[in-house]
Amino acid sequence: MTKSADTHCPYCALQCAMTLTAPAALAPAAQPGPGPAPAPSPARAPAPAPALEVAGRDFPTNRGGLCRKGWTSPTLLNHAGRITEPLLKGSDGVHRPITWDEALDLAANAVRDVRTRHGADAVGVFGGGGLTNEKAYMLGKFARLALGTSRIDYNGRFCMSSAAAAGMRAFGMDRGLPFPLEALDTASTILMLGSNVAETMPPFVQHLQGARDAGGLVVVDPRRSATAAFTADGGGLHLQPLPGTDLTLLLGLSHVVIHENLVDTAYIQARTSGYSGVVRSVNAFWPERVQSLTGVPAELIRQTARLLAAGARNGGSYILTGRGVEQHVDGTDTATAAINLSLLLGLPGSARGGYGTLTGQGNGQGGREHGQKADQLPGYRKITDPAARAHVAGVWGVPAETIPGPGLPAVQLLKSLGKHDGVRCLFVHASNIAVAAPDANAVIEGLRSLDFLVVCDFFMSETAAEADLILPVLQWAEEDGTLTNLEGRVLRRRRAISPPAGARSELWIMARLAERLDAPSTYSEDPETVFEELRRASAGGLADYSGIDYAMLDRGEAAYWPYPAGSTGTPRLFADGFAHPDGKALMVPVAPRRRRPSPVMPEPAGKAMTLITGRLLEHYQSGSQTRRVAELLAAQPEATVQIHPSAADAMAITAGSLVSVANGRGEVVCRAELSTAIRPETVFLPFHFPGSESANRLTEAATDPVSGMPEFKFNTVWVRPVAAPDSARTLQTTEAS
């Protein structure tokens, strides 16, 4: 006898549809973890049979396809390293099992103690873009009412915040793709900046085929990535700028559009404001000057602008941005420059064009709409808006003044850990900040300085290893709920298998803690009940879910927000106007700012180069899950630093040799991968690995002044060869999480 469930992949925001089938009897077997991973070995034991069989399901985003991560996703459900009971760290640093009642009492007592000694804002919450809408909503409510703190933010601040801030500024609304992904199929021109979808969400690339066939796929990336390679053989253009110069390149493209009379003037007059300021702001960025600043040939700049304009007039043009251009201290302005370019061409709100940003995490869109962000309430409401506060307070049944004001964005929140006036007790959900946060060494020091750290996880991640208390939670196939994909489409997650006896839903955990803390309002552990409350809390907001319910999702109906009660949803935004009071999009002039130099090492050793970080096909985020899948770990068992052969030759670095990549924040030692796909002055590190291979030991915690996005994509490092390890040392992934 088998049981099947139609659901969606637990990884990226493409949310590929899949069907899970559970055999009647399952036999768990050994896998890497939960502690340090063994060195890669050909003698590794075979992987166990997965807890569920997975099959791709036809759906508009993936059309039955899955990537390697999706096909192997059920492997983790019966992983031997699964945490299945609460664990308390002893004075010897060892985590030992305790009962749920003991764990909940300890957590509640820690909250009460810290609030008494330091105030409510000494308790903090760090959430994640992998939580369901129900859990993200409840986490915001729990933080503000049960804990009484304003100190909540989440790892989406590391992913989407700059594009979100730019979208809010220009359009008055932020939805990653304001059109269905299928709309890209018929485009003749697509400009993609800073995203390598061929590796990060492989089923996406089928939506680029039409533009590639028309010779109109343009990819902007300092590396010749797998996505950039699609532009070969007449498929389009690859622009390979210096890291950190994307804003300048976009201003150059806008200059060509304006000065070659390619602007959609009727659209500009009817649907935008601020045009004259943008014209003045791009006057100094003619193609030859932009070439000298970015390294992109002037003729390629002109050719790209003309392709976009021709597509806008004929087959359709889209401009898409990703983390490569957004994870900078000027990320909001760079995304704004991309939006300005799209407005000059008349794309947003048109039937055959638009601007969009590619959400990364599985629920990166929904996770930021309903209360995890420091400055937002459910429905994408501003926490400082009295009307918004009154509405949400009414749903929660509390006085509006009970809801705290805005808190600290993620980087500032993490910098405050353990400080006298900072967070002293922290709850972490769906995030591995010890690996994923910038300046990771400083973050780990902050975690260790806390009075009490509670981590909800299903594996011993690097962050969980630092915790005083670990609470075991459910995995994706063990729970019901909803998520919102990169198109703003709300999807159903369906339970396909029973969880281990000791694991609990985060909804259950929050409900039990709220009881112990005598919290106002109600806290249900039933996902559908929570979603019904979310609907009411979001009603009338920008992200209005009030017209969506589980029954319609179970019928397979498409549900794109905003979806007010009585409507049919909004697959394509802005057709009738933008979300500003005058109905127009706001064009905001932007300009490159002089970057301050990164801190210099006391005695720099090696050659100064620019570090960029990113993802690999086989791994996801901090690797906490994918490094436990034997097949994926075997394919990419360790971090490697990608270096151009000419740069490597000048430093006497050979393929496979050990390399030190260092700056004033830390050092990474890993093997060299020589490739002509990267610029000679640049090195690339994946960010999925911990310990001595952790790329975020090197990234700076400087942030965009508008969005709070940290600077992941432009850091100065010194690169040098290092001696081979002695027989007592092996280079390996230091922990399997």
Side-chain angles (χ1 to χ4, degrees), residues 581-622:
D582 63 0
K584 294 185 176 184
L586 177 62
M587 302 184 74
V588 179
V590 291
R593 299 191 301 274
R594 184 180 299 275
R595 292 178 180 269
R596 64 181 181 81
S598 297
V600 177
M601 295 174 66
E603 295 182 8
K607 180 179 180 181
M609 302 185 79
T610 299
L611 168 69
I612 56 177
T613 65
R615 298 176 179 174
L616 300 174
L617 171 65
E618 291 81 5
H619 291 300
Y620 178 73
Q621 299 294 83
S622 72

Short mmCIF file of all heavy atoms in Angstrom, two decimals, residues 581-622:
data_model
loop_
_atom_site.label_atom_id
_atom_site.label_comp_id
_atom_site.label_asym_id
_atom_site.label_seq_id
_atom_site.Cartn_x
_atom_site.Cartn_y
_atom_site.Cartn_z
N PRO A 581 0.07 56.67 -5.21
CA PRO A 581 -1.23 57.36 -5.24
C PRO A 581 -1.62 57.91 -6.60
O PRO A 581 -2.81 57.93 -6.96
CB PRO A 581 -1.05 58.49 -4.21
CG PRO A 581 -0.05 57.94 -3.23
CD PRO A 581 0.90 57.12 -4.07
N ASP A 582 -0.63 58.38 -7.39
CA ASP A 582 -0.96 58.94 -8.71
C ASP A 582 -1.01 57.87 -9.80
O ASP A 582 -1.26 58.18 -10.97
CB ASP A 582 0.04 60.04 -9.10
CG ASP A 582 1.47 59.54 -9.23
OD1 ASP A 582 1.71 58.32 -9.02
OD2 ASP A 582 2.37 60.36 -9.52
N GLY A 583 -0.77 56.62 -9.44
CA GLY A 583 -0.83 55.53 -10.41
C GLY A 583 0.38 55.44 -11.32
O GLY A 583 0.40 54.60 -12.22
N LYS A 584 1.39 56.29 -11.09
CA LYS A 584 2.56 56.30 -11.96
C LYS A 584 3.76 55.66 -11.28
O LYS A 584 3.88 55.65 -10.05
CB LYS A 584 2.90 57.75 -12.36
CG LYS A 584 1.84 58.41 -13.23
CD LYS A 584 2.31 59.79 -13.68
CE LYS A 584 1.30 60.42 -14.65
NZ LYS A 584 1.78 61.72 -15.17
N ALA A 585 4.66 55.14 -12.11
CA ALA A 585 5.93 54.64 -11.61
C ALA A 585 6.87 55.82 -11.41
O ALA A 585 6.88 56.77 -12.21
CB ALA A 585 6.54 53.65 -12.60
N LEU A 586 7.66 55.76 -10.35
CA LEU A 586 8.59 56.84 -10.04
C LEU A 586 9.98 56.48 -10.53
O LEU A 586 10.57 55.48 -10.10
CB LEU A 586 8.62 57.08 -8.53
CG LEU A 586 9.60 58.15 -8.02
CD1 LEU A 586 9.25 59.52 -8.60
CD2 LEU A 586 9.60 58.18 -6.49
N MET A 587 10.53 57.28 -11.43
CA MET A 587 11.90 57.11 -11.90
C MET A 587 12.82 57.91 -10.99
O MET A 587 12.65 59.12 -10.82
CB MET A 587 12.03 57.56 -13.35
CG MET A 587 11.10 56.84 -14.31
SD MET A 587 11.35 57.30 -16.04
CE MET A 587 12.89 56.45 -16.40
N VAL A 588 13.78 57.22 -10.39
CA VAL A 588 14.66 57.83 -9.39
C VAL A 588 16.08 57.89 -9.95
O VAL A 588 16.67 56.85 -10.26
CB VAL A 588 14.66 57.02 -8.08
CG1 VAL A 588 15.58 57.65 -7.05
CG2 VAL A 588 13.24 56.90 -7.53
N PRO A 589 16.65 59.10 -10.10
CA PRO A 589 18.04 59.18 -10.58
C PRO A 589 18.99 58.52 -9.58
O PRO A 589 18.87 58.71 -8.37
CB PRO A 589 18.29 60.69 -10.67
CG PRO A 589 16.94 61.32 -10.68
CD PRO A 589 16.06 60.43 -9.88
N VAL A 590 19.93 57.75 -10.08
CA VAL A 590 20.94 57.12 -9.24
C VAL A 590 22.30 57.30 -9.90
O VAL A 590 22.40 57.53 -11.10
CB VAL A 590 20.66 55.62 -9.03
CG1 VAL A 590 19.41 55.42 -8.18
CG2 VAL A 590 20.51 54.89 -10.37
N ALA A 591 23.35 57.19 -9.11
CA ALA A 591 24.71 57.36 -9.62
C ALA A 591 25.65 56.50 -8.79
O ALA A 591 25.41 56.27 -7.60
CB ALA A 591 25.14 58.82 -9.56
N PRO A 592 26.73 56.03 -9.39
CA PRO A 592 27.72 55.24 -8.63
C PRO A 592 28.32 56.08 -7.51
O PRO A 592 28.56 57.28 -7.67
CB PRO A 592 28.77 54.87 -9.67
CG PRO A 592 28.09 55.03 -10.99
CD PRO A 592 27.11 56.13 -10.82
N ARG A 593 28.53 55.44 -6.37
CA ARG A 593 29.21 56.10 -5.26
C ARG A 593 30.61 55.53 -5.14
O ARG A 593 30.86 54.37 -5.43
CB ARG A 593 28.46 55.85 -3.94
CG ARG A 593 27.04 56.37 -3.93
CD ARG A 593 26.46 56.34 -2.52
NE ARG A 593 26.46 55.01 -1.95
CZ ARG A 593 25.49 54.12 -2.12
NH1 ARG A 593 24.45 54.43 -2.88
NH2 ARG A 593 25.55 52.92 -1.56
N ARG A 594 31.51 56.37 -4.67
CA ARG A 594 32.88 55.88 -4.46
C ARG A 594 32.87 54.85 -3.34
O ARG A 594 32.36 55.10 -2.25
CB ARG A 594 33.80 57.05 -4.09
CG ARG A 594 35.27 56.64 -3.96
CD ARG A 594 36.13 57.84 -3.60
NE ARG A 594 36.07 58.86 -4.63
CZ ARG A 594 36.83 58.86 -5.72
NH1 ARG A 594 37.70 57.88 -5.91
NH2 ARG A 594 36.73 59.82 -6.61
N ARG A 595 33.40 53.70 -3.62
CA ARG A 595 33.43 52.65 -2.61
C ARG A 595 34.58 52.90 -1.63
O ARG A 595 35.69 53.22 -2.04
CB ARG A 595 33.64 51.28 -3.26
CG ARG A 595 32.44 50.83 -4.09
CD ARG A 595 32.74 49.49 -4.75
NE ARG A 595 31.61 49.04 -5.55
CZ ARG A 595 30.63 48.27 -5.09
NH1 ARG A 595 30.64 47.89 -3.82
NH2 ARG A 595 29.65 47.90 -5.87
N ARG A 596 34.29 52.74 -0.36
CA ARG A 596 35.36 52.86 0.61
C ARG A 596 36.19 51.58 0.56
O ARG A 596 35.66 50.49 0.35
CB ARG A 596 34.80 53.08 2.01
CG ARG A 596 33.98 51.94 2.56
CD ARG A 596 33.47 52.28 3.95
NE ARG A 596 32.70 51.20 4.53
CZ ARG A 596 33.23 50.14 5.13
NH1 ARG A 596 34.55 50.02 5.20
NH2 ARG A 596 32.47 49.19 5.65
N PRO A 597 37.49 51.69 0.75
CA PRO A 597 38.32 50.49 0.68
C PRO A 597 38.04 49.55 1.83
O PRO A 597 37.72 49.96 2.94
CB PRO A 597 39.75 51.05 0.75
CG PRO A 597 39.60 52.37 1.45
CD PRO A 597 38.27 52.91 1.02
N SER A 598 38.14 48.24 1.56
CA SER A 598 38.00 47.25 2.62
C SER A 598 39.19 47.34 3.57
O SER A 598 40.27 47.80 3.19
CB SER A 598 37.93 45.85 2.03
OG SER A 598 36.79 45.71 1.22
N PRO A 599 39.00 46.94 4.82
CA PRO A 599 40.12 46.97 5.76
C PRO A 599 41.30 46.16 5.23
O PRO A 599 41.12 45.07 4.68
CB PRO A 599 39.53 46.32 7.02
CG PRO A 599 38.06 46.48 6.89
CD PRO A 599 37.76 46.44 5.43
N VAL A 600 42.49 46.69 5.38
CA VAL A 600 43.69 46.04 4.88
C VAL A 600 44.29 45.16 5.97
O VAL A 600 44.29 45.52 7.13
CB VAL A 600 44.72 47.09 4.40
CG1 VAL A 600 46.01 46.42 3.95
CG2 VAL A 600 44.14 47.93 3.28
N MET A 601 44.77 44.01 5.60
CA MET A 601 45.45 43.15 6.56
C MET A 601 46.68 43.86 7.09
O MET A 601 47.30 44.66 6.39
CB MET A 601 45.85 41.84 5.90
CG MET A 601 44.68 40.99 5.44
SD MET A 601 45.21 39.54 4.51
CE MET A 601 46.07 38.62 5.79
N PRO A 602 47.07 43.61 8.34
CA PRO A 602 48.27 44.26 8.89
C PRO A 602 49.50 44.06 8.00
O PRO A 602 50.26 44.99 7.78
CB PRO A 602 48.44 43.56 10.24
CG PRO A 602 47.06 43.11 10.61
CD PRO A 602 46.40 42.75 9.31
N GLU A 603 49.67 42.85 7.49
CA GLU A 603 50.79 42.57 6.58
C GLU A 603 50.25 41.74 5.42
O GLU A 603 50.33 40.51 5.43
CB GLU A 603 51.90 41.82 7.31
CG GLU A 603 52.57 42.63 8.41
CD GLU A 603 53.69 41.86 9.07
OE1 GLU A 603 54.04 40.77 8.57
OE2 GLU A 603 54.23 42.34 10.07
N PRO A 604 49.65 42.41 4.42
CA PRO A 604 49.06 41.65 3.31
C PRO A 604 50.06 40.70 2.67
O PRO A 604 51.20 41.06 2.40
CB PRO A 604 48.63 42.75 2.33
CG PRO A 604 48.51 43.98 3.17
CD PRO A 604 49.54 43.86 4.23
N ALA A 605 49.60 39.48 2.47
CA ALA A 605 50.44 38.48 1.82
C ALA A 605 49.71 38.00 0.58
O ALA A 605 48.53 37.67 0.63
CB ALA A 605 50.71 37.31 2.76
N GLY A 606 50.42 37.98 -0.55
CA GLY A 606 49.80 37.53 -1.78
C GLY A 606 49.32 38.68 -2.63
O GLY A 606 49.62 39.85 -2.38
N LYS A 607 48.54 38.36 -3.64
CA LYS A 607 48.06 39.33 -4.61
C LYS A 607 46.65 39.79 -4.26
O LYS A 607 45.77 38.97 -3.98
CB LYS A 607 48.06 38.71 -6.00
CG LYS A 607 47.58 39.66 -7.11
CD LYS A 607 47.63 38.98 -8.46
CE LYS A 607 47.14 39.92 -9.56
NZ LYS A 607 47.15 39.28 -10.88
N ALA A 608 46.42 41.10 -4.26
CA ALA A 608 45.09 41.63 -3.99
C ALA A 608 44.17 41.35 -5.17
O ALA A 608 44.51 41.64 -6.32
CB ALA A 608 45.16 43.13 -3.72
N MET A 609 42.99 40.78 -4.88
CA MET A 609 42.02 40.46 -5.91
C MET A 609 40.62 40.72 -5.38
O MET A 609 40.44 40.95 -4.17
CB MET A 609 42.16 38.99 -6.36
CG MET A 609 43.55 38.64 -6.89
SD MET A 609 43.67 36.96 -7.55
CE MET A 609 42.91 37.19 -9.16
N THR A 610 39.64 40.70 -6.26
CA THR A 610 38.26 40.90 -5.86
C THR A 610 37.56 39.56 -5.73
O THR A 610 37.60 38.74 -6.65
CB THR A 610 37.52 41.77 -6.90
OG1 THR A 610 38.14 43.05 -6.97
CG2 THR A 610 36.07 41.96 -6.49
N LEU A 611 36.94 39.35 -4.58
CA LEU A 611 36.21 38.11 -4.32
C LEU A 611 34.73 38.29 -4.63
O LEU A 611 34.10 39.25 -4.18
CB LEU A 611 36.36 37.70 -2.85
CG LEU A 611 35.42 36.59 -2.35
CD1 LEU A 611 35.79 35.26 -3.00
CD2 LEU A 611 35.45 36.50 -0.84
N ILE A 612 34.17 37.36 -5.39
CA ILE A 612 32.72 37.25 -5.53
C ILE A 612 32.32 35.86 -5.05
O ILE A 612 33.10 34.91 -5.12
CB ILE A 612 32.24 37.50 -6.98
CG1 ILE A 612 32.94 36.57 -7.97
CG2 ILE A 612 32.45 38.94 -7.37
CD1 ILE A 612 32.46 36.74 -9.40
N THR A 613 31.12 35.75 -4.51
CA THR A 613 30.63 34.48 -3.98
C THR A 613 29.35 34.09 -4.70
O THR A 613 28.67 34.93 -5.29
CB THR A 613 30.36 34.57 -2.47
OG1 THR A 613 29.29 35.50 -2.24
CG2 THR A 613 31.61 35.04 -1.72
N GLY A 614 29.00 32.81 -4.62
CA GLY A 614 27.78 32.38 -5.28
C GLY A 614 27.51 30.91 -5.04
O GLY A 614 28.12 30.28 -4.16
N ARG A 615 26.60 30.34 -5.85
CA ARG A 615 26.09 29.00 -5.62
C ARG A 615 26.64 28.01 -6.63
O ARG A 615 27.07 28.38 -7.72
CB ARG A 615 24.56 29.00 -5.71
CG ARG A 615 23.90 29.87 -4.66
CD ARG A 615 22.40 29.91 -4.85
NE ARG A 615 21.75 30.74 -3.82
CZ ARG A 615 20.47 31.04 -3.81
NH1 ARG A 615 19.69 30.61 -4.77
NH2 ARG A 615 19.96 31.78 -2.85
N LEU A 616 26.56 26.74 -6.26
CA LEU A 616 26.89 25.63 -7.13
C LEU A 616 25.62 24.86 -7.46
O LEU A 616 24.65 24.87 -6.69
CB LEU A 616 27.89 24.69 -6.45
CG LEU A 616 29.23 25.28 -6.04
CD1 LEU A 616 30.03 24.24 -5.25
CD2 LEU A 616 30.02 25.77 -7.24
N LEU A 617 25.66 24.13 -8.56
CA LEU A 617 24.50 23.35 -8.99
C LEU A 617 24.06 22.36 -7.91
O LEU A 617 22.86 22.20 -7.65
CB LEU A 617 24.85 22.59 -10.28
CG LEU A 617 23.84 21.56 -10.77
CD1 LEU A 617 22.53 22.22 -11.17
CD2 LEU A 617 24.42 20.76 -11.95
N GLU A 618 25.01 21.72 -7.24
CA GLU A 618 24.67 20.61 -6.35
C GLU A 618 24.24 21.05 -4.96
O GLU A 618 23.67 20.24 -4.21
CB GLU A 618 25.88 19.67 -6.21
CG GLU A 618 26.21 18.90 -7.45
CD GLU A 618 27.03 19.70 -8.47
OE1 GLU A 618 27.43 20.85 -8.16
OE2 GLU A 618 27.26 19.18 -9.57
N HIS A 619 24.53 22.28 -4.57
CA HIS A 619 24.29 22.68 -3.19
C HIS A 619 23.32 23.86 -3.10
O HIS A 619 23.07 24.56 -4.08
CB HIS A 619 25.60 23.00 -2.48
CG HIS A 619 26.45 21.80 -2.27
ND1 HIS A 619 26.05 20.72 -1.52
CD2 HIS A 619 27.71 21.48 -2.72
CE1 HIS A 619 27.00 19.80 -1.50
NE2 HIS A 619 28.01 20.23 -2.23
N TYR A 620 22.83 24.06 -1.89
CA TYR A 620 21.81 25.08 -1.66
C TYR A 620 22.13 25.83 -0.36
O TYR A 620 22.42 25.20 0.67
CB TYR A 620 20.44 24.42 -1.55
CG TYR A 620 19.30 25.38 -1.27
CD1 TYR A 620 18.85 26.25 -2.27
CD2 TYR A 620 18.68 25.42 -0.03
CE1 TYR A 620 17.80 27.13 -2.02
CE2 TYR A 620 17.63 26.29 0.23
CZ TYR A 620 17.20 27.15 -0.78
OH TYR A 620 16.17 28.02 -0.53
N GLN A 621 22.09 27.15 -0.43
CA GLN A 621 22.32 28.01 0.73
C GLN A 621 23.58 27.59 1.48
O GLN A 621 24.62 27.42 0.89
CB GLN A 621 21.08 28.02 1.62
CG GLN A 621 19.82 28.56 0.91
CD GLN A 621 19.90 30.02 0.56
OE1 GLN A 621 20.46 30.39 -0.46
NE2 GLN A 621 19.32 30.88 1.38
N SER A 622 23.48 27.40 2.81
CA SER A 622 24.67 27.06 3.60
C SER A 622 25.08 25.61 3.45
O SER A 622 26.05 25.17 4.06
CB SER A 622 24.41 27.36 5.08
OG SER A 622 23.50 26.41 5.62
#
